[in-house]
Each structure stands twice: as C-alpha cells, then as structure tokens.
Amino acid sequence: MRMGFGVTRIITFIFVIFSTGNLANANDNIELLNSTLITKLHLDASPDRAQMLAAYQVSFRNKGDAPLEKVTILLNPGLQVSKVLGAGGRKLQTRNRNAHIAGREPLRLNAVDITLASPLKHNSRREIVIHYAGSLEDLSLVGLPQSREVLHPTFTMLRAQGFAYPVFARPEMQAIEAAWHGKPFHQVAFVEVNGNQKVVGNLAFAEKTINSGKTNFELKSTQPTGPLALAIGDYDIGRNSGISTAYRGGQSAAATNIATAVQTYAHSLTRKLGAPKSDAMLTILSVPDGYGSGHSEGLIYVEDSMFDAATLTGDTDFAAKVRGAVRDMWLLNPSHSTGHWANGVDRFILASNTPSTDILVFKEQLFGEVLALEAQNEKLGKTPLTDFTIEGFDAEADIINTLAFAVLHDLLGDEGFWGLTRQLRADLSAGYTDTSTVLDFLDRTLENRSAKKFVTNWFEKGRMGKDLAKAKTYAELVKRYR
C-alpha cells in the first residue's frame, strides 16, 4: 500500500511547537519535546486487509551527561519500521528485533534500535522521522489485558498502550510504564480514514477535509499533553465551552446526562474561580467494554457500561475522575512544571474543590512539610519567595507557595480570597509571569493590612524562617498576622 499524502513533503512543512515536556525514563535520559503522527488507515473487518501506514516525527533532547549514540523504540508486533530518517533526510541505521518484555510475560513487541547520525551531546536536541506500516495485533491476548487495539471499521484506538506509534523505552515493563506516565509535551496528528468515522481524543480538533472518499483529520494539542490517545469510530460529538462529549449509537441520553452534570459543575467553578483558561479543553469519550477507562490531560475515556450509567454524584471512580479533569481546566500550570509561579494557587484550588479533602487538615500538613524543609536548609527561611528560582529552590517553592496562599485564605476570609484569586487569574494567566510579578500584583491589589504585611515578609523580605521559629502550628502562624 502506498501512502497517498506525501509524508516527506508534509513533514518538511509542518510547523512544530516546541515545549519542555519529557517522557520519564524513556531510554533513561531522553526528553521528548514534541511529536507529529501522520497516518493513513485502511479500516477493514478482515484483519488481513486492515492496514496502517504512518510516519512519526519526533524531537528529543539528551538530558544525560554521556553522549547518546542510540535510541530504542517499541511498536506493536504487527507494525514494521521501513526506515528512519535524520537531519536532511539522511537514512539512519536500524536494527529490528522481536523483543521479550521483561516483567510482562508473554508479551513481545517489535523493538527497533536506532543509531543516530552522530552522538547526541548533553542537553542537545535531535529530530528523526520513523516510517512504519502494518496492522495492529490485540495485545490483550499476550499480557496487556485492556490493550485490545485492532484496525476495524467499527472502532479503533491509537494509543501508547497498544503501541500504535513509537514508544521510547527499553523492552522492560518498568521503563514502559514510566513512558506511559511521562510528563506532557506538544503533539500533532494527521489521520486519514476510510468511511464515515470521526477521530477524537486528547488533542483538539483542528480541521477536517474530504478527498476522494477519504476523510482527513488534523488534531493538535493546545497545551502540553500526555501520550497521544485517539479513538476512531462512528461518534456523535456534543461541545459546550471547551467540554466535549463523544458517544456512539444508543448513548444519546447518557451523553446528555453527563454533559448537563459536567456543565453544572463547571459553572460552579466559574462562579468561584472565574473563567477557565481560554485554551482549556476536556473530552469525555465512550469506548467499548474491555478497553479500560483512562485519564490524561484533556481526555477521559470510559467503557460503555460505565458511560451509560454515569453520574457525578457520590464517590464513584467516574465521578472523581470527571470532577478532577474539569478542575484541571482552571489550573494555571496544567503541565505541573516544577517551580512555576502558579503551583501554589493551583494546589490550593485543587485541595479546596476536592470533596474528600479536609482543608484544615490540609493546611496543617502543609505547615508541617514546610517546617521540615526549612529545618533541613536554613537558607530557605531567609530567602524571599521571589528569589527561590534564582537560588535553585524550585521544588521547595511549590510547597511553600501553597502554604503562602493558604495563609492568605485565612487572613482574607473565604469570599475575599476567592475574589483575589479570580482577579489574579484574570490579570496574570496570560503572557510571561514570575513570582516578582505576583508580588507586584499582590502589592497593588491587597487592601487588608495583615495580608499585605505577610506578603511583604515572605515574598519580599525573606522572613519566613523567623515566623516558623515562633509558630509551632499552622494556627499559630496565622495568628501572628491577625
């Protein structure tokens, strides 16, 4: 089968968005930066006729100290790599092998060792294009119970768990699990299908074109996201304010119930927190029983039996996942990058809007964590929060910033704090922002003298240590500023 959409030409002109995400422990020291999947699917009820032809363009960085000479990718055993191209279209040396996966017998995958054109030095980046073709074998029969991916006109999934595209990992289950749960990065997908199927998943719909009976879908991430997960089937899609519900035949009533409940919850968050980020999106997707239920940035997929009986009331697994994913749309740092100025706000938003969280207990636990950190490094207590990044205290800043916003919550009261949060999110959610900018915002916005004094002492003067030395509990810390 020939690819009819000119992979090499398309890849040459694709605009790739670079970001700082990584796929943890994939080949130990590889950090994925972005990827583009271009695939042509011939979906057929006969396994012998169903085919997938694809090219996967991926950029990565070597985060290790030693030069990187080779990388290893894993694919579904029904897929075979034809060639791998490096810079300037240079063909790279490859070694294909059917690899036993350590820790998950009897699973075997197609492992491909790729020799880079030249050693990749520490912190340097490289881009390669992997061309491959074939069909998808059902991995649920050989050790991965919910990885039932096959190419079929009724329903098809393309995701890392089925190895429908290259996964950068050693042939060991521990390394694979790390790759599946790695940090998010920007991704793009071009998918051509035969028939009337729609393509939905954790990438936002960008464009749909029809050419000679084939339908082409373009999808791309609006923010860094987890491993690509796409479902292809006869979907109906309802959209409302960045939240989509994708469902198949006979699920219209269930989809309406879910959409209504989600919108009610989203409106309650809007009243409290203001509007979500403009590019925030969430898709709630039904999949046939046996494919499992999953959650990644921007996507929840649930099995039909759970979808049909779904409710957001109570403490069910589905309700918790949906509420959590909806809350994520309000996060100012959805990629959870360490040291980001908004982590303190985001963590407090999550804790305050999680029914199972006792906020008083949460605050005391925060105080204990910060007290322990300061005891380990007295310099923390003498450093203004605005200088934490300069001093290399990014990880500590996430916890201490959360405690700072918790104290502001007590000093301002619930209504005053959430009013401040709405204004902060509106003023600082776009463009470049650092902790110094947050300090400037708080200085000009806060009218409460106690809160203003607290911000000056912690954000600007580095007096956190003095407060912690005199306060033995969270309540005593707050009392110092009453």
Side-chain angles (χ1 to χ4, degrees):
M1 185 174 75
R2 297 184 55 144
M3 185 170 290
F5 46 79
V7 168
T8 303
R9 186 167 63 253
I10 292 176
I11 290 176
T12 302
F13 291 100
I14 285 176
F15 174 73
V16 182
I17 304 172
F18 294 97
S19 72
T20 56
N22 81 300
L23 199 55
N25 200 33
N27 291 308
D28 296 326
N29 294 312
I30 289 179
E31 176 186 38
L32 294 190
L33 302 173
N34 59 72
S35 71
T36 298
L37 173 67
I38 301 176
T39 183
K40 178 178 180 180
L41 304 177
H42 178 73
L43 305 176
D44 196 285
S46 170
D48 295 335
R49 291 178 55 84
Q51 286 289 306
M52 175 180 186
L53 191 59
Y56 189 72
Q57 174 184 285
V58 60
S59 296
F60 55 90
R61 190 197 320 270
N62 177 18
K63 299 299 292 183
D65 295 329
L68 186 66
E69 297 182 352
K70 293 183 179 181
V71 298
T72 299
I73 62 168
L74 302 175
L75 278 170
N76 187 286
L79 299 172
Q80 297 295 320
V81 170
S82 58
K83 60 183 176 180
V84 179
L85 303 180
R90 177 179 177 180
K91 189 173 182 179
L92 302 181
Q93 179 181 343
T94 60
R95 173 174 166 263
N96 292 261
R97 54 197 169 97
N98 186 260
H100 164 75
I101 304 303
R104 186 55 63 92
E105 297 77 4
L107 178 64
R108 302 181 75 89
L109 296 171
N110 183 15
V112 183
D113 302 317
I114 303 168
T115 302
L116 302 178
S118 60
L120 186 62
K121 297 180 180 179
H122 166 70
N123 217 30
S124 296
R125 63 186 304 149
R126 191 68 55 87
E127 181 174 288
I128 61 176
V129 182
I130 303 162
H131 293 257
Y132 62 98
S135 193
L136 292 177
E137 293 185 11
D138 183 350
L139 300 183
S140 69
L141 304 176
V142 288
L144 292 179
Q146 294 178 335
S147 298
R148 298 180 58 192
E149 279 82 327
V150 293
L151 300 176
H152 194 276
T154 302
F155 180 81
T156 295
M157 282 202 83
L158 303 180
R159 55 179 175 171
Q161 287 78 2
F163 298 90
Y165 58 86
V167 174
F168 282 69
R170 302 182 310 278
E172 302 171 8
M173 201 60 211
Q174 184 176 1
I176 292 170
E177 289 278 2
W180 286 348
H181 299 95
K183 291 182 180 179
F185 56 100
H186 279 288
Q187 298 168 77
V188 178
F190 295 85
V191 183
E192 179 185 292
V193 297
N194 56 306
N196 298 317
Q197 293 87 351
K198 293 184 177 68
V199 182
V200 291
N202 63 341
L203 306 187
F205 173 82
E207 186 178 0
K208 171 184 174 182
T209 58
I210 299 176
N211 184 21
S212 301
K214 307 291 185 181
T215 306
N216 294 278
F217 292 85
E218 177 186 351
L219 306 101
K220 55 186 177 182
S221 54
T222 57
Q223 60 191 22
T225 191
L228 176 67
L230 299 179
I232 303 158
D234 187 17
Y235 279 100
D236 288 312
I237 302 173
R239 294 187 175 93
N240 190 335
S241 302
I243 301 175
S244 301
T245 308
Y247 56 97
R248 304 188 321 282
Q251 297 179 318
S252 177
T256 299
N257 291 337
I258 292 172
T260 300
V262 168
Q263 287 301 324
T264 299
Y265 184 56
H267 289 156
S268 72
L269 291 175
T270 299
R271 288 192 297 271
K272 186 173 186 178
L273 303 172
K277 293 187 67 176
S278 59
D279 60 353
M281 59 158 281
L282 172 65
T283 298
I284 303 171
L285 169 75
S286 71
V287 299
D289 285 354
Y291 281 82
S293 297
H295 174 211
S296 64
E297 290 80 4
L299 175 68
I300 294 175
Y301 55 93
V302 295
E303 294 183 320
D304 287 340
S305 55
M306 184 182 294
F307 188 92
D308 292 340
T311 174
L312 293 193
T313 60
D315 294 324
T316 65
D317 183 59
F318 176 79
K321 285 181 179 178
V322 172
R323 285 195 298 260
V326 175
R327 285 195 305 269
D328 287 351
M329 297 177 68
W330 271 261
L331 300 186
L332 294 168
N333 177 30
S335 63
H336 308 292
S337 53
T338 303
H340 193 285
W341 71 269
N343 283 343
V345 181
D346 286 350
R347 290 184 65 183
F348 196 76
I349 286 174
L350 290 175
S352 300
N353 292 280
T354 301
S356 60
T357 298
D358 185 322
I359 197 64
L360 295 177
V361 173
F362 174 76
K363 290 175 177 178
E364 287 291 355
Q365 289 175 340
L366 268 178
F367 178 81
E369 291 178 28
V370 172
L371 198 64
L373 287 174
E374 199 271 339
Q376 295 170 9
N377 185 351
E378 291 185 0
K379 189 177 179 179
L380 284 173
K382 301 175 182 178
T383 303
L385 287 178
T386 52
D387 291 344
F388 265 45
T389 296
I390 297 173
E391 298 294 339
F393 298 147
D394 282 352
E396 294 85 351
D398 291 348
I399 298 173
I400 295 172
N401 276 327
T402 309
L403 178 62
F405 280 100
V407 172
L408 286 175
H409 178 256
D410 279 282
L411 295 177
L412 298 173
D414 195 65
E415 184 176 344
F417 176 81
W418 292 116
L420 176 73
T421 302
R422 287 192 296 272
Q423 191 172 345
L424 182 149
R425 297 183 69 258
D427 289 3
L428 303 185
S429 62
Y432 172 77
T433 302
D434 57 14
T435 310
S436 294
T437 310
V438 177
L439 171 61
D440 292 340
F441 166 82
L442 295 173
D443 275 343
R444 70 173 183 269
T445 305
L446 288 172
E447 297 179 358
N448 181 294
R449 290 185 178 181
S450 297
K452 205 174 187 73
K453 181 180 179 181
F454 170 75
V455 167
T456 298
N457 284 349
W458 282 46
F459 283 77
E460 188 174 4
K461 294 185 176 181
R463 294 182 177 175
M464 179 186 73
K466 292 183 177 181
D467 286 342
L468 295 180
K470 297 178 180 179
K472 303 303 181 184
T473 65
Y474 175 80
E476 290 182 10
L477 173 62
V478 174
K479 189 175 181 179
R480 289 183 55 79
Y481 288 94
R482 289 291 192 188

